[in-house]
Amino acid sequence: MKRLTALVFVLALLCSLGITAAATDGGDTTMSYTVNANYTVTIPATVSGNSASLSIDAAPVLEEGQKVVISIADSANYYNGFRLKLKGADAYVGYTISDGTNTLAMGSVVLEQPAAAEQAATVNLTFTPEKAAYAGDYSDTLTFTIAVADTATQ
């Protein structure tokens, strides 16, 4: 048994000596990694009352020099200004949208957030209706555009 064990060790030793590594002059390896742009925008589906909060999460992943931009794109009842329509009737009440500092118009930028921002961006919009002539439920549908733009634009 000792002879068999010794023979196995000798064979293992001889096999390990027969392994050689080929020498090379070196080489290059190209590494690639793709990160897709991503960001989260929160816009409420419905608003009851006169205010709403829109936000863009912190640290949007974008190309360097870009930002996420939210703008007012459309209003279902827009005619020379924002209007709320009375349900079941052909009556309207005008209203304004404010971000706390500015009165906003169609196409206004509501909020923007640059790439890699450390804090979430939030805006509280206030909707102020004019005096209504008729009682009832009034509504409008606002459409917002969400876009990625260069920080040098807009």
Side-chain angles (χ1 to χ4, degrees):
M1 184 68 166
K2 288 183 181 181
R3 285 186 181 198
L4 181 60
T5 304
L7 180 62
V8 170
F9 283 128
V10 169
L11 286 175
L13 182 61
L14 289 174
C15 287
S16 68
L17 294 176
I19 299 173
T20 59
T24 62
D25 291 334
D28 295 330
T29 299
T30 302
M31 299 294 293
S32 63
Y33 178 66
T34 302
V35 177
N36 295 320
N38 64 76
Y39 50 88
T40 302
V41 173
T42 304
I43 298 173
T46 59
V47 175
S48 292
N50 67 343
S51 66
S53 180
L54 282 68
S55 66
I56 304 172
D57 282 354
V61 178
L62 306 168
E63 291 181 20
E64 186 176 359
Q66 290 187 325
K67 62 185 173 182
V68 178
V69 179
I70 301 174
S71 303
I72 301 173
D74 195 18
S75 166
N77 301 312
Y78 191 86
Y79 181 77
N80 293 329
F82 298 107
R83 300 184 311 165
L84 298 162
K85 184 179 186 311
L86 177 60
K87 182 178 180 179
D90 194 27
Y92 297 89
V93 171
Y95 69 97
T96 59
I97 304 172
S98 171
D99 63 7
T101 305
N102 303 304
T103 298
L104 305 175
M106 188 69 70
S108 291
V109 172
V110 175
L111 188 63
E112 57 186 33
Q113 177 79 310
E118 293 183 16
Q119 295 182 349
T122 301
V123 64
N124 293 310
L125 299 180
T126 301
F127 306 96
T128 306
E130 297 171 356
K131 185 174 182 201
Y134 305 103
D137 295 325
Y138 290 81
S139 66
D140 188 19
T141 300
L142 289 175
T143 302
F144 294 91
T145 299
I146 303 164
V148 174
D150 292 333
T151 53
T153 61
Q154 293 190 342

